[in-house]
Amino acid sequence: MSNLIAPGSMSATAEIAAWFRCQPNFKLRACLALHRGFQNLMRCLGVSSIDAMDKPQKTVLGTVAEHVMRSEFSLERGKGIGHRRALDYHIMGHDVDAKFSLTMGGWMIPPQVVGRPCMLIHSTDNLVFWIGLLRIEDRMLRLGANQDKKRQLRTPVLSKILWIVEEQRVADVFSSPQRPTAACPLVV
C-alpha cells in the first residue's frame, strides 16, 4: 500500500490529473467524446466545420464539452463545498469548473472559480484537443473583465497548466499506445 496516494496528499490539480490518468484509455475516451459531441452539434446545425459556425453557435461548444466529459467519465456534478457555489464537476473531493475555448488561453474565468481547480479544454477548428488543469488564482487573471466579470488568463500562466491531453487528434490517439491503468496509485 506504500504506492497509494491518499486524497489531500498532493495539490488538487495533481489529484484530479491522477484520477483522469487512472481512467481506462482516458485520452482516447476524452478525445472521442469531444469529437463526437462536436460532430453531432455540427450535424444538427447543418455546418461542415467549426470554422463555418457563427459566434452564437460556437458558444454552444463549451456546453457540449462540459456535458460530454461528464457523461464519458461519469463525473458527479459539483457540490458547492462549504458556502461556495457548486461548479461543473466533483472529482477527488474538489469542485472543478470546466471552461472551453477555441483560442489557446481564451478561456473566460468567472469570479467564483478563483481559488478553485479548473479544467481547461481547447480545440482547434480541425478538432485537435488539449485538456489541462489549473487552480485559478486572482493574480493569474488579466485586469480587464467582460460584462459578466469574467477574465482571461495572463499569457505567462499558460506554462503553469497541467496538461493531461496535449495536441491530440483522434487518429493520433488511436495509433499511440495507451498507458496501462491496473496499478493506479489512488485511494478514493
Side-chain angles (χ1 to χ4, degrees):
M1 286 265 230
S2 61
N3 68 336
L4 297 179
I5 301 169
S9 65
M10 61 173 85
S11 74
T13 53
E15 286 180 357
I16 296 161
W19 184 88
F20 274 106
R21 289 177 177 139
C22 287
Q23 302 308 302
N25 301 312
F26 88 97
K27 282 185 184 181
L28 174 64
R29 291 171 56 201
C31 290
L32 280 175
L34 290 166
H35 187 270
R36 278 191 309 260
F38 292 177
Q39 290 288 345
N40 286 341
L41 177 61
M42 288 186 280
R43 194 171 19 264
C44 288
L45 294 173
V47 297
S48 59
S49 68
I50 290 175
D51 196 42
M53 294 176 159
D54 60 30
K55 189 174 180 175
Q57 292 171 329
K58 288 179 181 179
T59 62
V60 179
L61 290 169
T63 304
V64 170
E66 173 195 336
H67 288 279
V68 299
M69 290 296 288
R70 177 181 295 118
S71 176
E72 182 62 36
F73 294 100
S74 302
L75 299 173
E76 293 180 53
R77 292 189 181 276
K79 297 180 185 274
I81 301 165
H83 65 282
R84 303 187 83 175
R85 184 173 156 211
L87 299 181
D88 297 320
Y89 313 128
H90 191 76
I91 306 167
M92 294 294 296
H94 307 283
D95 268 17
V96 179
D97 205 39
K99 291 294 166 209
F100 174 80
S101 179
L102 287 169
T103 305
M104 179 60 81
W107 304 283
M108 297 303 293
I109 310 297
Q112 66 268 22
V113 178
V114 173
R116 301 166 91 180
C118 194
M119 176 186 290
L120 303 168
I121 303 169
H122 167 63
S123 173
T124 66
D125 292 337
N126 299 323
L127 300 177
V128 179
F129 299 105
W130 285 256
I131 302 172
L133 298 161
L134 182 68
R135 182 182 174 275
I136 304 296
E137 297 175 20
D138 192 61
R139 64 183 171 79
M140 296 176 167
L141 301 171
R142 295 183 182 177
L143 295 177
N146 69 8
Q147 63 191 15
D148 297 328
K149 300 182 181 174
K150 293 180 180 179
R151 299 184 288 164
Q152 289 182 312
L153 295 172
R154 296 175 187 267
T155 303
V157 174
L158 298 179
S159 66
K160 307 282 186 212
I161 297 170
L162 176 57
W163 295 108
I164 56 175
V165 172
E166 195 168 1
E167 199 172 354
Q168 292 290 305
R169 291 166 186 78
V170 172
D172 294 343
V173 178
F174 275 119
S175 64
S176 65
Q178 294 291 305
R179 198 178 107 210
T181 57
C184 185
L186 288 177
V187 175
V188 269

